[in-house]
Amino acid sequence: RQLLRLGLISGAAVAAPGLLASCQRDKDQLLAAVEGQFPQAWSQQLPGGWQTSWLGEPEAVARSKAALWSLSDGWASALPRQQIRPLGVDAELQRLAPWAGPVSRLFAPEGSPALAFPWAFSPWVLVLRNRPDLAQRRAEGWQLLLDPSLKGQLVLPSSPRVAMALLGHGLEPLMALRRQALAYDERHGLNLLLSGEAQALVTPLQRVIPLLRRDQRLQVVLPASGAPLTWQLLVRPAAGAPLPAAWIQKLWDRSLLESLLLKGWVPPLPQADLAPVARRFPESISALLLPGDGLLQRCWSLPPLSVPQQLAQQNLWDAAAPRP
């Protein structure tokens, strides 16, 4: 959800779309998703005739003529409202945890129609490599980012907005945070962390869950004060078909739910629905997948910003840049 990219999404999304050059599938039964950002265990259970088109970037998803799009909340909430329509799965939306409601409305006021199905969420977390000393100080939360030993060893999110949300929006803490940064690239940040070029990384929890069971060097800190959330949503284009309700209902199947959790995809279901599956995992991982309603209530989503808000945050970000 980079600040500067938000202004570009709308233009890209309304650009005249063409049929996907690489396939001749029936667009009325096609789900478009970014490769690696949708669980194959679920896509393989689509009804007969449905297929998935794996694309390289969210822009390509939002330009496609597929019947359904899978997009992050940053991309979905920037779509022109006339380009999307209600999903037709009201009963399934009612079964989600209440705090998924604003996201399903794409942050429109309460009472507005649901225009997205939030199928997964992930808090941003601090991942440490071979730093049990810092992990033992997890009660300090996001203040750990400013530890002197992490100067030049910390990979921050590529989105200035997410980075700014970690320590508040004051100039001084933001300047201190930016002085710590080795890079701003959570997509490739795991490579920097695992190779030893960085000691700490801020990334969505989903990306690190599959690694935790086989890499004992990694410790994850989800601050008790809460964290920004990133969401994965299904969106129905104006000319798209309704979501297959029976396929959506598979999210509550324990076998599929276990497959999703193994990959770090956590549907926003009530904790009572998640607990029987999450508790099969090692305790350290289960605590991350099932942090409890109290902590989740202290987490927050990032609704779209107005243009003046974008400019104000960009100006603050620029003002906090390290001086040569």
Side-chain angles (χ1 to χ4, degrees):
R1 293 185 286 278
Q2 299 178 37
L3 295 176
L4 295 179
R5 293 179 74 188
L6 283 174
L8 301 177
I9 300 170
S10 297
V14 298
L19 289 173
L20 297 173
S22 61
C23 61
Q24 299 297 324
R25 299 166 184 160
D26 184 350
K27 64 183 179 63
D28 293 330
Q29 292 185 305
L30 188 65
L31 165 65
V34 177
E35 188 170 8
Q37 296 185 20
F38 195 88
Q40 292 193 13
W42 195 23
S43 67
Q44 290 169 353
Q45 298 192 31
L46 279 162
W50 279 79
Q51 296 189 62
T52 307
S53 176
W54 304 111
L55 303 175
E57 295 292 339
E59 297 97 324
V61 173
R63 289 196 303 267
S64 74
K65 286 190 174 180
L68 294 174
W69 296 333
S70 182
L71 291 165
S72 70
D73 54 316
W75 284 92
S77 60
L79 293 170
R81 292 299 184 266
Q82 68 271 18
Q83 196 177 355
I84 52 181
R85 62 188 299 188
L87 300 164
V89 287
D90 290 347
E92 288 71 26
L93 283 165
Q94 291 296 319
R95 295 180 64 187
L96 299 179
W99 41 270
V103 189
S104 71
R105 301 190 300 270
L106 297 179
F107 305 105
E110 191 167 355
S112 302
L115 295 173
F117 186 88
W119 61 266
F121 74 97
S122 185
W124 290 79
V125 295
L126 173 60
V127 186
L128 302 166
R129 178 184 179 273
N130 287 335
R131 291 302 306 267
D133 57 320
L134 291 182
Q136 289 173 2
R137 294 162 48 196
R138 63 181 63 246
E140 298 176 33
W142 293 116
Q143 290 298 317
L144 287 173
L145 298 174
L146 303 182
D147 190 87
S149 67
L150 292 183
K151 186 171 184 178
Q153 295 289 313
L154 172 63
V155 181
L156 288 170
S158 57
S159 165
R161 187 180 182 193
V162 175
M164 294 170 72
L166 302 176
L167 293 174
H169 292 81
L171 180 59
E172 290 298 326
L174 187 56
M175 291 176 65
L177 180 63
R178 295 204 63 180
R179 286 194 294 266
Q180 299 286 85
L182 168 68
Y184 300 90
D185 186 1
E186 77 280 352
R187 176 176 291 187
H188 302 103
L190 273 174
N191 293 332
L192 294 173
L193 189 72
L194 296 176
S195 68
E197 296 178 65
Q199 295 183 27
L201 164 70
V202 177
T203 189
L205 175 64
Q206 184 273 325
R207 292 181 178 173
V208 74
I209 285 291
L211 294 173
L212 293 180
R213 299 184 74 171
R214 62 177 186 266
D215 195 329
Q216 301 302 311
R217 300 172 301 173
L218 302 181
Q219 303 94 35
V220 176
V221 176
L222 174 55
S225 59
L229 297 176
T230 182
W231 293 83
Q232 298 297 324
L233 312 174
L234 288 171
V235 181
R236 177 186 180 187
L243 270 70
W247 176 66
I248 294 293
Q249 292 165 10
K250 291 182 182 295
L251 277 180
W252 283 265
D253 291 349
R254 290 194 178 185
S255 58
L256 176 61
L257 191 53
E258 183 171 1
S259 297
L260 298 186
L261 295 182
L262 277 169
K263 298 294 185 180
W265 301 114
V266 183
L269 308 183
Q271 297 276 288
D273 292 343
L274 289 171
V277 179
R279 288 174 180 158
R280 299 177 188 172
F281 291 75
E283 185 177 354
S284 59
I285 298 178
S286 175
L288 293 169
L289 295 171
L290 197 73
D293 287 327
L295 195 156
L296 289 173
Q297 288 170 5
R298 293 190 291 275
C299 294
W300 63 94
S301 299
L302 297 172
L305 297 172
S306 65
V307 172
Q309 288 173 326
Q310 292 179 47
L311 293 174
Q313 289 205 1
Q314 189 67 60
N315 289 337
L316 181 61
W317 180 256
D318 294 340
R323 300 294 184 262

